[in-house]
Amino acid sequence: MKNNWRQKLHLEPVSGWLNDPNGLCFFGGYYHVYFQYAPESPYGKGGKCWGHWQSPDLLNWTFTGTVLRPDIPEDRNGVYSGCAFPDGGILRLFYTGNVKEEGDHDYTTSGRGANVITVSTSNGHAMSEKKVLLRNSDYPSYCSCHVRDPKVWKDANIYRMVLGARTLSDEGCVLFYTSPDLENWSFEKRVSIQDFGYMWECPDLFRIDGREYLSISPQGIPHEEYRFQNVYSSGYFSAEKELADYQEWDFGFDFYAPQTFEVPDGRRIIIGWMGIGDIPYTNPTAELGWQHCLTVPREITAAADGSLRQAPVRELEKLRRGSSELTDGMTVELPFELSAESYGDFSIELGDYLIFEYADGVFTMRFTDDKAGCGRDIRKVRLSSCKDIRLLADTSSVEVYLSGGERVMSSRFYPADTSAKLSFRGLSGTIYELDEMEVKSDGK
Ligand code: FRU
């Protein structure tokens, strides 16, 4: 069948542009996913807004519309990224109000306002009046104008917030604030490490099994063959005492600015933007009126050594319809899931455009047809052994989970057809046909 690239398992706007997931939470019986949204432009032009989806089960979603727009002086050039904090019967949202002054500015050392603003809602979409909590003059004097993306949590009797920042000497860092009441915030400390990029975006501090982690999306890290292959990175540190052991969340072409949240049964879930800014490749849906999607929600767990594992949320298994044994040369129809064990080295060829290969301790994803890759070529990751692979292939994206989710690769791809031949060696497993998620719309 001809492929119209409309995703079936991934949240994406019907029209316009999406970037970071924002305000992820479970509140009032629903999962809430807000996102950076430019409703009028598939290229992300115009002031950023927050769009909003909600779901009772992570499978049936409703888009309630554009719920936050730039409409006060302190956010007039964009309602930028932020978080949600459920506070009893009220959901408190915190975001960055972006301001660009007129005049001759570089917008890094002058001309940009970055305000922490809060609003609240009792139903997820009708918002209270906005209140400005912090302005640039409240940040330490070593900061440039780039300070943004608040993430708030509660520790015993104190509220905490992290903000991503760029210093005047071009070092990425995270600023920590504390508050007794979610309104009055005091600077506590700055956290950074040497030579790790000029800006850290979208910080997120969380705990799993009692261990502390700090996720960041750093910009300005030199590229390497097996790491930092994309224009910007995104990963987590162990944050027990000092920041240590940075691990990238995802080694594919399209992943950035993820956020985590905890759900009532105790699972920690991460959702990323399946896209990155300033990429040298393209997404042809933009010519059709929309661009970008989010990753599926992923459960994060910690291995014995503290490193994290990711797996698609178990709810997605309810979308499995038929299943068949993986057989060489079979025809598959997007979307599908492949789940297989390996006997050492292996390879999978999807259609005549994509090859996945594990050999000599390196997993590789390689496009063999640029019409499907649209400028994407090759991504690699080291993995000393790879005992299994799970591949979630949607109509225009693929998420690959390797060896129990120890490494992940996500990428957009744009095949002309939804059916494809699948060839492989070194694996045995199952192919699942998948139903699509339901995404209704009752807002604009
Ligand atoms: C990350 C980011 C954030 C910012 C938002 C603006 O992709 O640059 O730092 O708040 O996007 O859309």
Side-chain angles (χ1 to χ4, degrees), residues 59-303:
L59 296 173
N60 295 276
W61 293 92
T62 302
F63 176 65
T64 74
T66 305
V67 296
L68 285 172
R69 298 169 195 274
D71 54 11
I72 58 169
E74 288 87 351
D75 68 10
R76 64 174 182 266
N77 298 103
V79 175
Y80 273 15
S81 284
C83 66
F85 183 82
D87 185 19
I90 293 183
L91 185 63
R92 299 191 188 278
L93 305 178
F94 299 83
Y95 69 89
T96 298
N98 181 47
V99 176
K100 284 178 109 176
E101 311 285 353
E102 300 276 309
D104 183 20
H105 294 293
D106 65 1
Y107 297 104
T108 295
T109 60
S110 77
R112 181 187 297 275
N115 303 302
V116 175
I117 301 175
T118 189
V119 288
S120 58
T121 172
S122 55
N123 65 4
H125 49 93
M127 299 293 166
S128 73
E129 224 172 276
K130 297 172 176 176
K131 184 166 181 193
V132 179
L133 302 177
L134 293 173
R135 301 169 189 268
N136 290 66
S137 52
D138 298 312
Y139 308 135
S141 56
Y142 53 74
C143 287
S144 73
C145 311
H146 287 283
V147 178
R148 57 178 168 264
D149 310 334
K151 179 91 195 288
V152 170
W153 73 101
K154 192 175 182 193
D155 249 358
N157 291 323
I158 197 157
Y159 299 100
R160 293 188 190 276
M161 173 167 69
V162 278
L163 288 167
R166 171 178 184 159
T167 68
L168 287 168
S169 47
D170 292 331
E171 283 168 346
C173 65
V174 172
L175 309 178
F176 282 65
Y177 282 77
T178 58
S179 168
D181 55 8
L182 292 168
E183 296 234 334
N184 297 285
W185 292 92
S186 316
F187 177 70
E188 185 192 4
K189 61 177 179 186
R190 156 195 175 178
V191 165
S192 61
I193 57 168
Q194 267 200 324
D195 297 329
F196 208 70
Y198 58 80
M199 170 71 191
W200 290 4
E201 296 191 315
C202 300
D204 188 355
L205 191 128
F206 58 91
R207 290 196 182 93
I208 294 186
D209 298 346
R211 288 192 176 106
E212 203 160 274
Y213 300 87
L214 177 69
S215 171
I216 57 165
S217 291
Q219 302 185 322
I221 299 183
H223 300 301
E224 292 180 13
E225 187 174 359
Y226 299 101
R227 301 190 305 163
F228 315 129
Q229 294 158 93
N230 289 336
V231 50
Y232 305 131
S233 172
S234 119
Y236 64 89
F237 292 105
S238 153
E240 284 298 278
K241 290 190 202 84
E242 292 173 341
L243 300 185
D245 300 332
Y246 182 80
Q247 296 285 340
E248 285 183 281
W249 285 115
D250 192 299
F251 292 81
F253 295 91
D254 298 279
F255 186 90
Y256 193 64
Q259 190 175 91
T260 75
F261 69 119
E262 198 183 271
V263 296
D265 63 14
R267 286 178 294 169
R268 180 144 300 257
I269 305 228
I270 185 168
I271 298 180
W273 170 25
M274 213 194 279
I276 311 185
D278 308 318
I279 40 171
Y281 27 89
T282 59
N283 297 298
T285 59
E287 291 148 39
L288 306 173
W290 77 96
Q291 184 166 200
H292 293 309
C293 67
L294 299 178
T295 65
V296 297
R298 302 170 179 174
E299 294 175 19
I300 326 175
T301 49

